[in-house]
Amino acid sequence: MKKRLWASVVLFSGFLFGCDWESSGPQRLRDAYGTSCFEEDGKQKDANLGEITPQDDIAGTYAMLVVQNAKLETALACPPDNRCDLEIRDFLLARVPAERQAIYMEFCDQKTTVTGGKLNPESRITQGLREAHIFVVKEFGKVADKDRIPLLDGIVWLWGVKDLVDIAKDPLPDEPSDEHVFDQDNDGKPGVTVEVTEPLEGERYMVRRAIWNLGEGKLQQDGMTIKGVLRSFIIEEKAIGADPPMLKQPSSIEQATDKQSIFMLKRIHERSTCDYVRQVSEILFSEGS
Amino acid sequence: MKKRRVLYIFLSMFMFGICVAQVEKRLDFSGYLQSDIRFIVEDYRGEKTGDGYRFELNRNDIKGRLKWTPHDKVQGVVDARFRFYGFNESERLHDLFRSTKIEPYDFQINEAYLAVRGAPFHWMDFRIGRIIQTWGTADMFNPTDNLNSRDFSDPLDYTAKVPNQMVELAFYPASFLQVQVVWVPFFKPSLLPPSAQLGFSVERTLDNCFLRAPVPPLDRGQIELLQALFASIPPCDLNFTNAEVRIVKPSQSLRNSQVGARVKFTAGLGDFGDMDFSLSYYYGRFSFPIAYTAVADIKRAAGSTLDVSYTAEVMYPRMQVAGFDFSLSPESKQVPGFFGELALIFPEKVVFGLAVLQNGRIQESLFMSATNVPRTPFIKATAGLDYTIARRLYLNFQYVRGFFDEFNDRYGIHNYFVPALETKFFEDELKVRLAGAWNLDDLSLVVFPEVTWVAVPSVEIVLGSFLYLGDTKPLDPMSYAGRSKFGQKAAGRSVAYLKAKYSW
């Protein structure tokens, strides 16, 4: 009798513990929105979720936005008598090491908006360019103050070009066969590819140089934000090919004098990547729009 | 119109039944008539500061309970309630054509069942129909009592339950032993107080700028990431809509039925009186909602404004409950009565997921998940005593581990002290009662003082108040558990009330 009783208790206990019920909210969301980018019962897949604490020191990791307001001239859409307003928003991952002697920047994304023309051209960069890991390191030349990034002149970004002797002054190549042109976005086309959606659909293969002269970047009272003015910039683009060919038409970009260009940095997690910056850029910088 | 016709027919049949049965003396008809007026006595616990010092309720209830015994072994029970809400709900001209908008009311059948005794065997009873079960020996806080969900739609009537259809078999194999088996085909969730929606609401400043969003059940680092994300946007540019909360309902399959079994013993302890104790088992679902998913859909609006619409889902996790309860009622008035109840709960694991959508697409880096309810078994329990001193002062003290709505999710299981003191004067014509519940973890409190005057036999006039004391702001804004149990706005409004009740 005792044995039977114990057997019943053991059986019943096993029944209670044996249930492997689980309701997974992430799985439900994945089913609804079609994503698989989570680690079950974990955090985000690739972002370090340590604390983001405000600091009174510019050292740290940032999502960076550089807004360049310019005038665009291109034959069909924005002729000389009707130049367009061009806003270029470059999103970067930036790091200032604890020594405060330099800033490391990685290009993550670019969004452009053209307004005010006869036909406002629309284009976007490719994923290959976003993921091309284009870096620039700019030395401060001294240890920066705790609360500001110093004036930084001559920050040069090159797309689709390599091995220039003077990266700021050497002329950009005109032909895809030029030895300085390379397939930076790894799509099998020369230079970098820009996808054009308006006024014609197609691809433009180009090389590009941007030179920024940043004003002082001041750490704001919130300990999370650095803001400054982009004093001046130069953007040169050369089309070295296009499909269809009419998209190869030349264009010129000049800094707008009627609208200030700015830069802004928002403190993010130490180990965040460009992928994170791309995901949160619109939210982080909604005030910078 | 159709609804009213049905009510009239039902009422006529009810009255006809009363007449017939009265004649044959096979009827027991009891009930009450009650008026209840409540006034909100603060203005800081509403959705916006400044909402208060107004009437909350102006209600009239008519409740009747009819027990019909056509045969020694058969009994039919109908327990029904008419409720008139007393507030004008008309908003448009055509509402003025309908009395239901000027005089809103509802009708509810609490119980309607058939009970058969001693059939098919003399040691067996059964009941079928709409029944309210009460298991456990503690005073209200019964963690082993899970067959009927709770009805907190009226926070002051905290003993109310949601009726449900069920089949109950009771066996009496010996005089000291009772076995009860209950099958409830369909799950019904608990009713929540109207203030519960404030648990999901977005708080705004007086100039309507974003102040605070509900904290999801995630790890601290994840919550910090979300808060940092939104903190980077000027509050007045953040148009955060109140959460739309959806319910994930269990399907009507057999596996979503509930089953309970209880074995109840009575043992004589000589001078100490009788001791009742029981062992119970329950298979079913936790009847209060548990946070399951959340989606924040972010859209750029005009200018620099960012629209964030928030959709949440809640669900009712499955559980098994192994229960034990006892009560000791000494014959000597010098010794207090003791009771205790313990439920060992084996929960379904619930993993919470949160997604941020931008342009309808999930942002991969902001896809988060965390275990909200672990699979680990946990205990809810109540232990207490009641004692009457000199026939005048009644004391009831309870220690409660785990409030009704707690399920070892990220909020956790909290500890409570629940005292009640009651004294009577003028040959029981005047009754003064002070009751409350004190959260021992966050020290928030609900206090419930009440004075009852028995004006004439069967007529009671009650004056009282129900007061929530605690911090309305989060104690820790980076934690799902960082809110005050009774202080948070979702707990309810502090009110003063006047009731008049005639019972028969």
Side-chain angles (χ1 to χ4, degrees):
Chain A
M1 185 66 186
K2 266 189 177 176
K3 276 184 183 174
R4 275 188 199 169
L5 191 66
W6 277 112
S8 307
V9 170
V10 170
L11 194 69
F12 183 64
S13 307
F15 175 59
L16 288 174
F17 280 101
C19 288
D20 200 23
W21 297 330
E22 179 173 332
S23 283
S24 171
Q27 185 64 49
R28 185 173 170 84
L29 291 171
R30 184 170 64 176
D31 293 344
Y33 299 102
T35 180
S36 59
C37 41
F38 69 96
E39 287 173 359
E40 186 67 25
D41 207 13
K43 326 278 188 308
Q44 321 169 29
K45 205 166 193 176
D46 57 0
N48 170 27
L49 290 176
E51 288 188 20
I52 315 173
T53 47
Q55 287 172 25
D56 60 356
D57 187 329
I58 57 168
T61 302
Y62 298 88
M64 183 175 182
L65 165 70
V66 181
V67 182
Q68 300 137 83
N69 287 302
K71 295 288 181 185
L72 171 69
E73 189 181 308
T74 182
L76 177 63
C78 307
D81 64 336
N82 189 14
R83 293 197 303 171
C84 303
D85 293 319
L86 169 66
E87 185 194 66
I88 304 170
R89 293 161 68 87
D90 281 320
F91 297 98
L92 315 165
L93 176 68
R95 285 198 177 92
V96 177
E99 299 79 26
R100 301 196 301 273
Q101 289 183 328
I103 183 167
Y104 298 79
M105 291 171 280
E106 180 183 351
F107 173 78
C108 303
D109 202 357
Q110 183 182 80
K111 285 173 185 164
T112 56
T113 314
V114 182
T115 51
K118 284 181 178 169
L119 297 167
N120 293 324
E122 286 180 15
S123 62
R124 57 175 175 247
I125 63 168
T126 60
Q127 193 61 23
L129 183 58
R130 288 187 191 104
E131 293 172 355
H133 298 293
I134 305 173
F135 287 94
V136 167
V137 179
K138 187 68 184 174
E139 302 282 344
F140 293 161
K142 59 172 185 176
V143 177
D145 291 341
K146 231 175 147 184
D147 63 342
R148 66 193 61 205
I149 294 173
L151 283 177
L152 294 175
D153 281 337
I155 298 172
V156 182
W157 294 93
L158 292 174
W159 286 1
V161 191
K162 64 178 180 182
D163 301 334
L164 298 181
V165 177
D166 186 337
I167 57 169
K169 291 182 180 162
D170 282 359
L172 291 177
D174 296 312
E175 298 299 327
S177 55
D178 191 294
E179 60 176 348
H180 297 300
V181 174
F182 82 110
D183 177 14
Q184 191 163 19
D185 52 7
N186 210 22
D187 64 351
K189 311 283 170 48
V192 297
T193 302
V194 172
E195 294 169 351
V196 181
T197 52
E198 290 286 340
L200 293 170
E201 275 193 29
E203 290 180 341
R204 192 164 186 246
Y205 315 118
M206 61 178 217
V207 291
R208 183 182 194 266
R209 173 164 51 206
I211 303 174
W212 296 341
N213 299 314
L214 302 184
E216 267 191 351
K218 286 180 188 165
L219 182 63
Q220 305 295 296
Q221 280 191 333
D222 63 3
M224 302 287 283
T225 311
I226 296 172
K227 286 182 180 175
V229 173
L230 175 59
R231 290 180 297 122
S232 62
F233 63 88
I234 299 166
I235 295 172
E236 295 171 79
E237 289 183 2
K238 276 197 178 164
I240 51 174
D243 177 21
M246 54 275 255
L247 291 177
K248 200 186 163 191
Q249 58 184 283
S251 61
S252 78
I253 298 169
E254 278 178 27
Q255 183 174 0
T257 52
D258 57 345
K259 211 171 180 185
Q260 196 173 49
S261 296
I262 56 131
F263 68 94
M264 190 189 300
L265 293 89
K266 292 272 188 182
R267 201 181 288 277
I268 55 176
H269 291 100
E270 194 184 335
R271 284 190 227 157
S272 296
T273 61
C274 246
D275 182 48
Y276 176 75
V277 174
R278 279 189 285 273
Q279 301 298 340
V280 302
S281 58
E282 264 200 62
I283 305 166
L284 276 180
F285 296 112
S286 64
E287 67 170 313
S289 57
Chain B
M1 203 61 194
K2 194 177 174 186
K3 184 181 165 190
R4 194 185 294 176
R5 199 178 306 147
V6 170
L7 284 180
Y8 287 147
I9 293 168
F10 183 83
L11 203 59
S12 307
M13 289 170 65
F14 201 60
M15 297 312 290
F16 178 73
I18 292 171
C19 296
V20 172
Q22 282 285 23
V23 170
E24 299 190 11
K25 301 291 181 193
R26 286 176 180 171
L27 190 95
D28 175 31
F29 184 58
S30 57
Y32 65 77
L33 179 70
Q34 180 177 272
S35 267
D36 189 344
I37 299 173
R38 293 182 203 167
F39 189 81
I40 296 173
V41 293
E42 38 75 16
D43 68 348
Y44 65 93
R45 298 184 59 84
E47 189 170 359
K48 282 188 177 175
T49 304
D51 169 30
Y53 300 114
R54 60 174 172 81
F55 285 102
E56 187 194 45
L57 199 81
N58 177 29
R59 204 168 67 186
N60 277 270
D61 288 355
I62 305 165
K63 189 181 176 196
R65 184 175 179 86
L66 185 70
K67 278 187 194 170
W68 192 7
T69 313
H71 185 276
D72 290 346
K73 289 188 169 184
V74 179
Q75 188 175 62
V77 173
V78 176
D79 185 307
R81 184 200 70 194
F82 278 100
R83 171 164 285 175
F84 294 87
Y85 288 93
F87 284 125
N88 172 14
E89 287 181 356
S90 62
E91 288 177 354
R92 294 174 188 168
L93 186 65
H94 66 253
D95 290 341
L96 299 177
F97 310 150
R98 285 184 261 171
S99 66
T100 50
K101 287 286 180 184
I102 309 287
E103 284 289 351
Y105 69 91
D106 70 18
F107 172 72
Q108 178 174 316
I109 293 190
N110 292 318
E111 288 192 297
Y113 63 82
L114 173 75
V116 178
R117 292 194 197 98
F121 311 105
H122 71 277
W123 43 266
M124 179 179 166
D125 297 346
F126 66 86
R127 291 196 294 170
I128 299 174
R130 190 173 172 82
I131 299 171
I132 292 176
Q133 293 276 0
T134 299
W135 284 12
T137 48
D139 188 7
M140 293 183 316
F141 295 92
N142 305 108
T144 63
D145 184 17
N146 295 294
L147 286 163
N148 288 99
S149 299
R150 297 277 166 174
D151 179 354
F152 285 141
S153 57
D154 178 357
L156 267 65
D157 188 9
Y158 43 76
T159 58
K161 290 182 181 176
V162 175
N164 206 343
Q165 281 69 243
M166 58 185 81
V167 178
E168 176 199 298
L169 304 178
F171 309 97
Y172 305 92
S175 60
F176 61 90
L177 180 65
Q178 180 189 340
V179 179
Q180 191 181 7
V181 178
V182 182
W183 174 52
V184 186
F186 303 113
F187 168 78
K188 283 188 187 172
S190 287
L191 289 172
L192 306 179
S195 56
Q197 62 190 7
L198 295 179
F200 291 91
S201 71
V202 173
E203 290 188 63
R204 293 185 176 83
T205 58
L206 286 173
D207 50 354
N208 215 28
C209 294
F210 172 78
L211 177 64
R212 202 177 292 123
V215 178
L218 292 168
D219 291 336
R220 180 172 287 270
Q222 293 169 314
I223 293 167
E224 281 169 349
L225 176 75
L226 282 173
Q227 298 212 350
L229 186 69
F230 292 115
S232 64
I233 298 161
C236 294
D237 286 350
L238 200 54
N239 182 23
F240 220 116
T241 59
N242 273 345
E244 180 192 335
V245 185
R246 297 174 185 162
I247 292 161
V248 180
K249 275 197 301 187
S251 67
Q252 294 180 352
S253 65
L254 188 62
R255 64 197 287 268
N256 284 326
S257 290
Q258 302 165 83
V259 181
R262 180 169 68 155
V263 184
K264 194 174 174 184
F265 306 85
T266 302
L269 298 178
D271 291 344
F272 286 101
D274 286 344
M275 181 176 178
D276 293 327
F277 63 98
S278 55
L279 296 167
S280 61
Y281 167 77
Y282 167 80
Y283 164 90
R285 286 179 180 269
F286 184 58
S287 67
F288 289 89
I290 295 292
Y292 187 30
T293 69
V295 174
D297 193 356
I298 294 170
K299 285 180 185 140
R300 287 283 288 280
S304 57
T305 307
L306 201 69
D307 286 341
V308 183
S309 58
Y310 188 69
T311 309
E313 283 184 319
V314 294
M315 54 93 66
Y316 299 94
R318 276 180 281 186
M319 66 175 181
Q320 295 184 88
V321 182
F324 168 74
D325 64 73
F326 77 93
S327 72
L328 178 63
S329 311
E331 285 179 2
S332 165
K333 299 293 177 195
Q334 309 302 318
V335 183
F338 292 96
F339 51 84
E341 197 166 331
L342 186 141
L344 178 60
I345 299 170
F346 298 82
E348 174 180 9
K349 182 181 178 183
V350 179
V351 181
F352 176 81
L354 181 141
V356 175
L357 301 187
Q358 226 179 327
N359 304 319
R361 283 185 298 113
I362 280 192
Q363 301 303 297
E364 296 186 6
S365 299
L366 294 170
F367 197 100
M368 300 174 189
S369 67
T371 299
N372 192 12
V373 180
R375 194 173 283 129
T376 323
F378 62 93
I379 285 175
K380 287 174 84 169
T382 304
L385 61 87
D386 57 358
Y387 189 39
T388 304
I389 301 171
R391 291 187 181 179
R392 280 197 177 276
L393 181 64
Y394 170 76
L395 306 173
N396 183 320
F397 296 122
Q398 295 186 85
Y399 160 75
V400 176
R401 177 164 175 77
F403 215 66
F404 301 105
D405 58 342
E406 291 173 6
F407 195 61
N408 201 32
D409 61 357
R410 282 187 172 248
Y411 181 73
I413 298 284
H414 286 209
N415 301 286
Y416 300 85
F417 175 55
V418 184
L421 291 84
E422 194 176 297
T423 187
K424 293 176 180 174
F425 304 96
F426 311 122
E427 296 179 334
D428 298 350
E429 266 189 29
L430 192 69
K431 185 170 79 178
V432 179
R433 182 182 166 87
L434 178 63
W438 187 26
N439 184 310
L440 301 174
D441 297 283
D442 65 32
L443 304 181
S444 62
L445 188 67
V446 58
V447 190
F448 193 5
E450 190 179 82
V451 178
T452 304
W453 172 44
V454 181
V456 292
S458 304
V459 174
E460 288 180 348
I461 309 293
V462 185
L463 187 65
S465 64
F466 201 90
L467 306 170
Y468 293 96
L469 305 171
D471 209 333
T472 52
K473 297 185 192 72
L475 305 170
D476 177 356
M478 296 293 177
S479 168
Y480 186 65
R483 53 204 151 102
S484 161
K485 180 73 180 183
F486 299 118
Q488 60 178 319
K489 290 180 177 180
R493 305 301 304 261
S494 294
V495 295
Y497 57 88
L498 174 67
K499 290 181 187 176
K501 186 175 183 182
Y502 167 63
S503 308
W504 67 85

